[in-house]
Structures are given as structure tokens and as C-alpha cells.
Amino acid sequence: MTKTKKNKSSASIQQSQKQRSQSIRNSISSHRSKPHWSRIKGVSFVDRELAWLEFNQRVLEQAEDESLRLLERVKFLSICHSNLDEFFMKRVDYLRRPAIEKSYSRDEDERGSLDRLNIVRRRVEKLLSDMDRVYLSSLKPQLTANKIDLLEWDELTKEEKINANEIFYKKIFPILTPLAVDPGHPFPHISNLSTSLAIALKYPKGQELFFSRVKIPEIFPAWTSLDSSGTTERLRFISIADIILHNLDALFPNMEITATMLFRITRNIDVERDEEAAEDLLEMIEQEIKDRRFGEVVKLEHGPQPDPWLLNFLKAELDIESYDIYELKGLVNFTSLSPIYRLNIPELREENWTSLVPDRLVEEPISLFHLIAETDLLVHHPYESFTASVEKFIRSAAEDPKVLAIKMTLYRTNEDSPFIRALIRAAEAGKQVVCLVELKARMEEEKNINWANKLEEAGVHVVYGIVGLKTHCKVALVIRQESDRLRSYAHIGTGNYNAQTAKLYTDIGFMTANEDITKELIELFHHLTGRSLKDDYEKLLVAPYNMKQKFLRMIEREAENQQKGLPAGIIAKMNSLEDRDIGTALYKASQAGVKIKLIVRGICTLRPGVEGLSESIEVISIVDRFLEHGRIFYFRNAAKEIVDGEFYLGSADWMSRNLHGRVEVVTPIENPDLKERLLEIFEIQLEDFHNAWVMQPDGSYKRRLPTADSPPLSSQNVFMELTRIRHLHRKEKK
Amino acid sequence: MRLILFRHGPAVDRESYLQSHPSDDLRPLTFSGKRKVNRVIQKIARSQEDISTLITSPLKRAEQTAQIIHKHYKKANYEVAEELKAEASVKEILPRLKQATPVETLILVGHEPHLSRIASYLLTGNETNFIHLKKAGAIALEFGDKVEPGSALLRWHIHPGIFLKR
């Protein structure tokens, strides 16, 4: 990381930041228990990278699921490819390192272990060949059967070719930039996730081959419809890449084109950063975004039968090896199918779901704050409206003259965020507004910097989090002047303050005025914005301070209760489970006989149902139209009735990254009505016999099949139906 | 004779390394440090065909750098020289350079500010360094028939940052 020079007393800022982060680190390490899992016999976990790819396989199976609408299935294929890109961007550079180190070493036989890279590569090859198969033998023919043709050039009619050439000359040709490579023209920068044509050229009577590259422009949809007359019933599409490929003569007149190859590259974005040396977090992230554009190439994808000269040229210029190169037979980029799955053909799409106003909030006009003061609220998105609850919470706070202060975290927020607008309005109205912007959300930093600057201009106190820790918690706090005193209102969620993803991700939000909780949140904000080193939270579970310890203790307690013959049991729902200390504690609880049910959507490295190790642990994964994103935890704690056990929800997964390297908040839920709701969510999900996958002891997954007693119910459909009923019921009562 | 002065690549953080290790001499390159050295020497190797001798400081970070360079110049003689340690006097390396024939190219791998003092001495006859080498950066000097202080010409100076963009 380049250190940028700053004028004003930067040395002292740097020094104090260093001290602060050191004391934070010390306080973290005192909470860190030694990894003891490795010393226990028989304990074994699934490889984390393979667990990631296994999730992708489940997403791909959705693309094959004939019970889903066709365009929805095309979308799942596209998601599968973009997840795979993310895997390469974040995980693969690290796996390639032993191979690269080996190539730097003088002794040829000093070998690093390439085994993991090879294992991962084989798994990726299988996934890619499955993606090809799903596309070529299932989706493409079925699209054709539904009058949507994805064509290759040779399949076009004469008229269509003329039409395509016209599109080329009118729209595409002027913006293309063919880049030659020779001593006067260095190899161009090829950006991450871009698709390009590589072209080998010769002078008419020459021998020497020249390389040229044409980037497929991203400003057009990747597929274009050729039907200008509207006379045919069919939608006939050709890819922009194909149109360019068949008009290359126009770009290189009189030259001889000897070979062409469509390719796509993926770069590493997990750039090493030097936070300790950073003088200003914002500046550091800005630099990092620049660095990331030039991250190592970790994947090159090409179509069948690549030209060897072109491929070797690219290998040398991009500094990649054979193990970084993958062949796809269907398309080099399945994410390019977005113009297809976005087609507005109602009978081929899932029915739209419109979020409903949560039943308790139906009775307008009502002050949200009065309602929260009266009783705690729980909202389940996207079934219940995010706009009518969480957004409203911040919006009302901005407009309410009695509100004195708003404090919130923004991890990933969407473009044109209503939250940003509300915070700006609040600051302009003279309220104290504090916004903790996490610049370190991977792949999102660029956006976040823009918002951060906007907020600062409006007078919001923008704080960039703690050096060394990502602020991942989703918490908002509103301080209101009420007749005799100040009263605080809080929202603690499992999802980001992002109105776009709130429509696509399932999340839970909790709103409360309970002082035991708001008091600790105020202290947490003091910690995040000031210099407090508070780490003894009573109610809240806060990572990286008391959360892991508390979770471990609660898991142990269930084991003890089970052994004493008291009611025991654990249910937990999260995105990923990878922390080995938590895994080991769960194994031990299983050995004590505790029934453990886990709903883990993505990576799970714990092996369920292994004899003598984890017999009483079940793991299911739900992959459906909305991305499962909520984190809820339940511990029976000797309660006679299940619903009287302890419930928690919040931002943390059971991953080492979350528990050690991020600020996370998980809150207890004590209101009996809300406990009922959470238990209901668990029960409905555990009874999903449509989109649930059962994890096997070897780390693979089997789709759960409906039985006579358990009809094929998708839990997400049940939630939609339930929400609809509750909403109607409330309206009728009104 | 052509002389390339190459500074070792980025190594692990000194402070934290010394907390658990006794000597700075064994402090290794980071992975990305190795990568940086490799990228710079890869580009140099495109125009600089042969190197007759590669001389490195005995410190681990320099030796690791030299080994990566050696991968690109397999035929080069590989020597370790105490004269390239950071605390050595600038003049100490001179006799070794004088042994080289006019057609040879040598690479010295060492430390700062030692390398830039050598460069200044050879370019101007004065040890006061006016040039600075980044980690994994390099300077090439050209000599006529004789290698004398103040007789060198500067051929090029590489800031490694320019090669990281591809």
C-alpha cells in the first residue's frame, strides 16, 4: 500500500490510531480462546473452499428444477456463475500461492503443496461442466420451446444478418476500441470480469502474427433482439460478442485475421492492506480500490477449441498458468443472460411478491415510536415491508421534532439510499447525526466512499470504524426528548440498511425501547466513535468481545443440562458456519446427546450425523427465490416449554471472521410474543420439504424429498401466505 | 560494464518480526514482496538478456530476492558478499566491481541507503545519496573501460510501481 503524505500533524494521528488499535487488539486477544479443536481425536471438518463450491452446486440445481418458472431458472444459472466469480476473486489467489512460491524458488524440488489448488480446480471443473450441461441441454432448448431463441450467427436468416450488421455499424462500431500489442503499444489493462475478443492478425503477405484485443462493451445488454418488425411471434436473440466477431473485418480492414478467441478474466480483489501504516482509513481504501483494479488474474475462461497461439500470448501477458484457465462449452459468461431472465413474460416468471405492511403497523396514522414504547416489534423481510418499518423508523426520526439524535451503522447501502437522504435531512434540521460507514465491505467500498462524502458535506458525523475490524453489525439508535426524560429507540437487524437487498434477502429486524438494550447500544456507539474500551456487555452479545465466549458457554450449558436430564436443545439459523471452536463445542454437545438443528444456507464446515461425533446434529440448507440471510439462535436452557428457551438474533455468523475480526451485535429476544414468532420461523423452515437440502456426513448435500406426511411446502411460500393472512386479518379488524 | 543495483523486495514487518525472532538478518520477504520482485525482474529480463554475476547481501530478504532474480538468469554466477550488508562502507565493493570485464553485466542485491550511496559514489564520486531506491526497485549504471568513482552513467531507474499495472 502506498503511503500518502499528509500535512497536518499526521504523525500524531497515526500514532494515536496505532495505540488505539493495539489496545483493541489486546482486548480482543484476551477474549480469544486457544484453538483446542485440533487436539481432539476424531474431530473433523469439511474443507471450507469445497463447502463454498457445494453451495454453488445447490444454486445450480435450482436452475435445473423443473418446478420453477423458466426465467427464474435462467437467473439461478447466472447467480451460480457470479458466485463462482466471487469465489475466485476472494479465495483463489491464496490457494495459488504455494504454486507461485514454488516457481520463485531456485531449488526445483522445493515444492509447496499444490494439492488443495488441484482439489478445488477439479471441483470447479465439475461445476462448470454441470453449468454447461444445464444451459445446453436444458435451459436453451426450453427457451426455444417457449419461443425465445438464443442464436449463433450461422443460425440467423439473411435478413437478420443484415439487421445485425446494421446494429453493428450504427451502435457498436463507433465505441469499440481495438487495442494492438507491439513495442509501441503495451499490453492493455483488462478489467476484472470483462469479456474480450483476442484476435491474431497478419499483414496480407507477412508472416509475423500480431495480437489485438477488442473489449465487448458493457453498455449494451449482452444479448440483442433482432426482431425489428414485430411480425414474428418468436424472440430471436444474438449476442453482442457474436455480432462483433462477425464484423471484425470492419475493425481491421485489409489485415488478415488468422484466429479469434472470446475470453473473460477474473482478478483477485483480496488485496493485502497495511492498516497499521494507514494515516487515514478513507484514503487507504481509496488507494486500495485503485490497487484492486490491478489485482492478479486468477481465472481466464474461454470457449471450446481455443487458439493455442492466442492462449499462450494471454498466458504470458497476464502472468497466469494452465491451472488458471477454464473452458466453458455453453457461454463464457452465464451472467450475460440477464437481459433474457429480465424479459417481461409473466407466464415464465415467478409471481412478483409485494412486501406487506407488518400487521402491527397497519393502523395509520400512528407514531412508530409510541408503538415501540408500548411493545417490542419484530419484522420479517421481505414478507413484511422494509420501507414501512425500518425505513420508516429512520424517516420518522429525521422528521420528528422531538428527536435529538440518530446514530446508525451503514455497511452496504444501495444507490440513492433513503437512509442517506433521511440522515442528511436530519442533520440539516439540526439533529445530532452519527453515521458509521464501513468502508471495508468488500466490493462495495467505492460506493461507500461516495456516500460518506455526501453525508459529511451535510454535517453528519461520519465515522469510518475501527482500524483492524470491520463494522458488520446492523444497529440504529434514535434518541428522543419525551415529556420528562430522554428515551432511546433501537433497531437491531440481521440485514443491511439497504432497500434493494431487503426485497431479495430474508432478514429479521427487532425494534425496542427496552432500556437494558438501548443503554448498551449507546455504549457500543461510544466505543465505535470514541475511545471507550468497554467490553463487558450484559445483555448484548458483541463481537469481538464477549460474543464467542457467550455462545460457547451457552452450547456447553445445553450439554450439561442434557446430562442432568433437564430439557436441552439448540436451533440456529445462519449463512455460514465455519468457526472450529464453535464446531467443536457443538460436536461435544452432540456427544452429550443434545438435539441440534442447524439451518445454514451457505458454507458449513461442521459434519452432521457422523457416528460417535455428531449423531444428533442435523444441518439443512434452504436455497429459494429469496436469499436466506437471517441469523437466529435458540438455546433451550432447561425450559419446560420450548418457547420459553432463550432466543437471539443479529448480524453474526458462526465464522471466525465474524467472531474475531468484525464488530457484530446479537440481541436477546425476551418478549414472549416475539419468541413465538421466532419459533414459528424455525418450525416452518425445518419443515421445508421443497427447497431444503440435507447435509450429509461427507459434506455433500441431498435434496429433501417430500413424503406422505410432509407435503412439498416451500417455507418461503408459507411465510408469504402467512403474512398475507395476517395483513388481511388486521385490516378486517380495523 | 553494466551494473544493476537491485533493492530487496518488501519483507515482513520489522517490529512484529523481532517480537518473536532474535535477529533482523533472518527477516523474510512477504508473499506479495516476492511477487513484486518477480514482476520487476521479469520486465527487466525482456531487455537485459544476460547477467554474468549476481552478488547479494547475506541477509535473508536480500538472498530471497536474489534467488528470484537467479530464476530468470540461471547461468549467472551466484555470490554472497558481506560488502553488501547495510552497514558496510560504500567503497568496499569497488575492488569486486573492478574485476569485471567491459562486456559483463552484474547485479548487486542489497539494502538502502547503502545501494543509493554506491550509486551516487559511482555516478558523482561523492557518497551523498541523491537518488532513492524503493523496495524491489532498481538502478542501472553503465561504465566505459574503467570502473572509477564518478565515471558511471545512469542508464535507467525503475520504480516498481510502474510494473504492477497490467
Side-chain angles (χ1 to χ4, degrees):
Chain A
M1 164 106 349
T2 325
K3 216 163 82 178
T4 23
K5 297 261 180 295
K6 281 198 91 181
N7 37 19
K8 50 170 185 191
S9 65
S10 61
S12 73
I13 296 172
Q14 194 181 349
Q15 195 50 38
S16 57
Q17 200 157 24
K18 260 195 175 169
Q19 277 167 4
R20 184 168 179 230
S21 92
Q22 194 51 50
S23 56
I24 288 163
R25 266 159 213 226
N26 293 341
S27 72
I28 298 165
S29 56
S30 69
H31 286 286
R32 243 180 138 139
S33 49
K34 272 203 185 129
H36 51 275
W37 56 269
S38 52
R39 277 177 269 129
I40 298 170
K41 228 177 128 190
V43 168
S44 101
F45 292 93
V46 176
D47 182 283
R48 181 204 154 117
E49 320 305 344
L50 295 180
W52 179 321
L53 295 169
E54 204 56 46
F55 169 62
N56 258 17
Q57 191 77 37
R58 299 198 289 284
V59 172
L60 181 62
E61 304 259 355
Q62 293 291 105
E64 276 192 278
D65 184 347
E66 305 248 343
S67 73
L68 294 178
R69 302 283 177 92
L70 186 56
L71 295 183
E72 204 69 15
R73 291 168 52 200
V74 175
K75 186 166 98 187
F76 275 113
L77 176 63
S78 160
I79 292 173
C80 182
H81 202 158
S82 72
N83 278 352
L84 187 66
D85 292 338
E86 189 182 340
F87 174 77
F88 273 85
M89 290 189 279
K90 290 181 176 173
R91 305 295 305 177
V92 174
D93 187 50
Y94 158 78
L95 294 171
R96 293 161 80 239
R97 290 184 173 199
I100 294 168
E101 294 248 41
K102 191 184 159 196
S103 76
Y104 293 162
S105 144
R106 226 165 18 128
D107 306 317
E108 294 294 342
D109 26 285
E110 185 194 305
R111 47 161 298 155
S113 157
L114 308 183
D115 298 351
R116 284 194 75 212
L117 180 65
N118 283 331
I119 291 169
V120 165
R121 182 175 165 96
R122 276 202 294 278
R123 187 68 191 82
V124 170
E125 281 171 343
K126 155 99 170 61
L127 185 69
L128 289 174
S129 86
D130 285 347
M131 285 160 67
D132 281 333
R133 178 180 50 75
V134 170
Y135 176 72
L136 291 172
S137 46
S138 172
L139 294 177
K140 201 175 168 213
Q142 288 182 40
L143 284 167
T144 308
N146 284 281
K147 298 180 183 165
I148 301 168
D149 301 319
L150 303 183
L151 302 163
E152 286 177 24
W153 188 262
D154 295 339
E155 297 169 286
L156 300 186
T157 64
K158 207 174 162 192
E159 268 177 24
E160 284 170 333
K161 282 182 186 167
I162 294 170
N163 193 353
N165 290 340
E166 207 166 297
I167 292 174
F168 177 80
Y169 281 103
K170 280 196 181 148
K171 291 189 181 165
I172 305 172
F173 184 69
I175 61 156
L176 289 181
T177 308
L179 291 168
V181 178
D182 58 40
H185 300 85
F187 193 77
H189 172 74
I190 300 186
S191 51
N192 187 19
L193 302 181
S194 66
T195 304
S196 306
L197 266 172
I199 301 145
L201 298 162
K202 249 178 13 180
Y203 286 111
K205 280 173 194 156
Q207 287 299 312
E208 200 186 344
L209 283 176
F210 295 93
F211 179 93
S212 190
R213 172 249 186 174
V214 176
K215 180 179 175 174
I216 307 299
E218 282 155 10
I219 55 166
F220 303 115
W223 292 83
T224 182
S225 164
L226 287 171
D227 178 37
S228 49
S229 59
T231 47
T232 104
E233 281 186 356
R234 308 192 68 84
L235 288 167
R236 288 172 66 80
F237 285 93
I238 179 104
S239 75
I240 292 283
D242 227 1
I243 296 180
I244 296 172
L245 183 64
H246 288 88
N247 280 284
L248 281 181
D249 287 343
L251 286 170
F252 305 99
N254 301 331
M255 290 292 282
E256 191 185 324
I257 295 168
T258 62
T260 58
M261 181 177 118
L262 195 65
F263 71 97
R264 177 170 184 263
I265 68 160
T266 309
R267 288 179 182 270
N268 177 46
I269 60 160
D270 198 21
V271 187
E272 274 167 60
R273 52 164 64 113
D274 186 4
E275 282 193 12
E276 292 291 298
E279 288 165 13
D280 175 333
L281 215 45
L282 183 63
E283 221 166 67
M284 184 187 77
I285 304 281
E286 280 173 335
Q287 180 60 41
E288 196 179 294
I289 292 167
K290 285 183 203 143
D291 288 353
R292 181 177 302 163
R293 288 191 56 222
F294 304 104
E296 304 295 317
V297 175
V298 289
K299 174 167 64 112
L300 181 144
E301 292 159 307
H302 61 71
Q305 289 144 6
D307 178 74
W309 185 83
L310 285 172
L311 196 57
N312 275 329
F313 194 94
L314 285 171
K315 252 173 92 173
E317 288 295 339
L318 297 171
D319 202 7
I320 53 175
E321 297 295 331
S322 312
Y323 52 70
D324 300 315
I325 299 173
Y326 293 87
E327 178 172 317
L328 281 110
K329 295 192 169 57
L331 296 174
V332 298
N333 178 11
F334 289 112
T335 69
S336 74
L337 289 169
S338 63
I340 307 299
Y341 67 70
R342 292 206 177 108
L343 284 172
N344 190 15
I345 307 174
E347 61 273 25
L348 298 182
R349 297 176 63 131
E350 279 311 303
E351 233 176 275
N352 272 341
W353 167 255
T354 314
S355 303
L356 297 168
V357 179
D359 56 338
R360 293 202 57 103
L361 303 181
V362 168
E363 293 144 54
E364 299 236 29
I366 186 165
S367 154
L368 189 53
F369 299 114
H370 284 146
L371 196 62
I372 300 171
E374 215 171 85
T375 177
D376 292 346
L377 288 178
L378 197 72
V379 274
H380 194 188
H381 315 296
Y383 315 107
E384 295 177 322
S385 163
F386 183 78
T387 314
S389 56
V390 184
E391 254 182 72
K392 185 175 173 185
F393 179 67
I394 299 299
R395 227 175 28 234
S396 328
E399 285 157 10
D400 186 335
K402 286 189 177 159
V403 167
L404 304 179
I406 306 174
K407 301 184 176 195
M408 73 184 294
T409 58
L410 278 178
Y411 185 68
R412 286 180 178 177
T413 194
N414 55 308
E415 283 173 45
D416 196 24
S417 161
F419 292 102
I420 307 263
R421 285 202 303 268
L423 294 181
I424 289 175
R425 273 204 309 280
E428 285 168 352
K431 298 184 199 307
Q432 166 92 0
V433 182
V434 176
C435 181
L436 215 109
V437 178
E438 178 49 68
L439 294 172
K440 287 174 281 173
R442 271 199 279 204
M443 315 209 276
E444 304 278 333
E445 287 104 335
E446 209 153 351
K447 279 187 204 164
N448 287 350
I449 288 174
N450 292 340
W451 305 135
N453 289 336
K454 263 194 190 174
L455 286 167
E456 270 186 335
E457 280 163 23
V460 174
H461 296 288
V462 179
V463 183
Y464 299 115
I466 296 174
V467 173
L469 293 174
K470 279 190 185 187
T471 311
H472 189 246
C473 55
K474 296 98 176 51
V475 289
L477 195 62
V478 170
I479 319 289
R480 199 163 177 269
Q481 175 71 57
E482 296 188 357
S483 51
D484 50 340
R485 62 189 180 119
L486 294 183
R487 187 155 195 172
S488 310
Y489 298 85
H491 171 265
I492 301 179
T494 67
N496 296 309
Y497 292 108
N498 181 323
Q500 292 306 319
T501 55
K503 289 176 193 156
L504 306 169
Y505 293 10
T506 73
D507 272 305
I508 315 243
F510 169 60
M511 293 191 251
T512 188
N514 179 342
E515 273 184 32
D516 293 340
I517 288 175
T518 56
K519 190 183 86 215
E520 292 201 340
L521 273 185
I522 293 172
E523 288 171 329
L524 177 73
F525 271 103
H526 289 170
H527 167 64
L528 292 174
T529 63
R531 270 169 215 282
S532 120
L533 276 178
K534 179 183 171 67
D535 55 7
D536 53 338
Y537 296 90
E538 294 268 320
K539 279 273 172 194
L540 297 178
L541 277 59
V542 181
Y545 308 113
N546 66 353
M547 184 180 288
K548 183 162 174 179
Q549 262 188 339
K550 284 205 173 185
F551 273 135
L552 287 173
R553 180 65 206 118
M554 288 191 279
I555 297 169
E556 274 167 32
R557 190 186 59 194
E558 293 306 311
E560 289 160 13
N561 286 344
Q562 179 79 31
Q563 276 159 341
K564 286 183 211 153
L566 295 168
I570 298 171
I571 314 174
K573 168 178 164 56
M574 66 203 80
N575 298 341
S576 303
L577 193 169
E578 165 270 353
D579 186 86
R580 298 198 160 190
D581 295 329
I582 298 258
T584 306
L586 291 168
Y587 284 151
K588 282 189 187 162
S590 168
Q591 286 160 6
V594 180
K595 286 258 179 302
I596 301 169
K597 292 180 190 295
L598 304 171
I599 307 166
V600 186
R601 188 247 306 155
I603 296 169
C604 178
T605 59
L606 174 138
R607 294 180 191 274
V610 176
E611 214 185 309
L613 178 70
S614 57
E615 273 156 289
S616 67
I617 305 180
E618 279 172 47
V619 178
I620 64 165
S621 163
I622 292 175
V623 181
D624 205 338
R625 62 183 290 190
F626 304 124
L627 185 81
E628 289 291 334
H629 197 255
R631 289 97 169 184
I632 321 173
F633 309 92
Y634 168 80
F635 303 91
R636 180 79 176 253
N637 191 22
K640 249 189 209 157
E641 297 296 325
I642 293 183
V643 73
D644 295 329
E646 293 183 349
F647 286 85
Y648 295 83
L649 66 83
S651 59
D653 284 319
W654 278 350
M655 296 188 89
S656 307
R657 176 186 78 182
N658 297 66
L659 300 170
H660 294 296
R662 289 179 167 186
V663 180
E664 304 273 1
V665 173
V666 165
T667 176
I669 301 294
E670 291 168 346
N671 177 313
D673 293 342
L674 303 193
K675 284 181 167 191
E676 286 282 1
R677 280 286 301 279
L678 292 177
L679 185 61
E680 180 188 87
I681 292 173
F682 276 142
E683 285 171 345
I684 291 171
Q685 294 228 294
L686 291 168
E687 289 298 305
D688 190 318
F689 274 83
H690 194 266
N691 286 308
W693 295 77
V694 182
M695 189 178 177
Q696 307 297 308
D698 66 357
S700 66
Y701 285 76
K702 282 197 180 131
R703 193 163 185 159
R704 199 190 245 172
L705 296 171
T707 62
D709 317 330
S710 27
L713 278 182
S714 133
S715 53
Q716 294 193 352
N717 280 339
V718 175
F719 290 130
M720 286 188 256
E721 202 46 47
L722 261 178
T723 310
R724 212 174 270 145
I725 293 168
R726 285 188 178 134
H727 181 81
L728 285 176
H729 180 73
R730 196 75 182 194
K731 267 195 164 166
E732 274 164 23
K733 251 172 74 180
K734 192 179 152 194
Chain B
M1 193 225 3
R2 178 175 286 186
L3 177 67
I4 298 173
L5 305 171
F6 199 112
R7 185 180 175 195
H8 67 80
V12 300
D13 182 61
R14 185 165 185 271
E15 247 169 76
S16 45
Y17 180 79
L18 288 179
Q19 276 174 15
S20 49
H21 298 83
S23 160
D24 187 47
D25 292 3
L26 294 175
R27 188 156 58 92
L29 296 186
T30 61
F31 176 77
S32 60
K34 290 180 184 174
R35 207 171 231 177
K36 210 172 204 172
V37 170
N38 188 60
R39 191 153 300 151
V40 172
I41 197 66
Q42 217 171 33
K43 299 288 154 115
I44 291 177
R46 287 191 175 183
S47 56
Q48 178 65 47
E49 280 183 12
D50 286 320
I51 298 279
S52 56
T53 307
L54 174 58
I55 311 174
T56 174
S57 136
L59 268 55
K60 176 113 178 178
R61 52 189 183 278
E63 275 237 56
Q64 283 185 324
T65 303
Q67 288 182 10
I68 297 169
I69 296 172
H70 204 196
K71 287 282 285 188
H72 293 266
Y73 294 103
K74 292 204 175 77
K75 284 186 241 155
N77 296 317
Y78 186 91
E79 296 174 16
V80 179
E82 296 287 324
E83 297 91 312
L84 287 174
K85 276 186 153 179
E87 60 274 18
S89 141
V90 163
K91 296 182 179 101
E92 281 179 53
I93 196 70
L94 203 59
R96 178 67 194 80
L97 302 181
K98 287 187 170 180
Q99 291 170 17
T101 64
V103 292
E104 275 188 83
T105 298
L106 266 62
I107 292 194
L108 308 185
V109 180
H111 309 269
E112 273 294 85
H114 190 238
L115 286 181
S116 54
R117 285 213 191 108
I118 293 178
S120 304
Y121 182 56
L122 294 171
L123 285 163
T124 67
N126 187 333
E127 279 183 37
T128 315
N129 58 331
F130 65 92
I131 206 162
H132 177 71
L133 275 170
K134 301 285 282 184
K135 288 175 189 144
I139 293 177
L141 306 179
E142 195 86 40
F143 295 89
D145 293 345
K146 279 192 177 170
V147 175
E148 293 296 341
S151 72
L153 283 175
L154 179 64
R155 289 287 304 197
W156 45 254
H157 178 190
I158 289 172
H159 183 300
I162 62 167
F163 289 146
L164 301 185
K165 324 253 177 263
R166 349 165 243 131

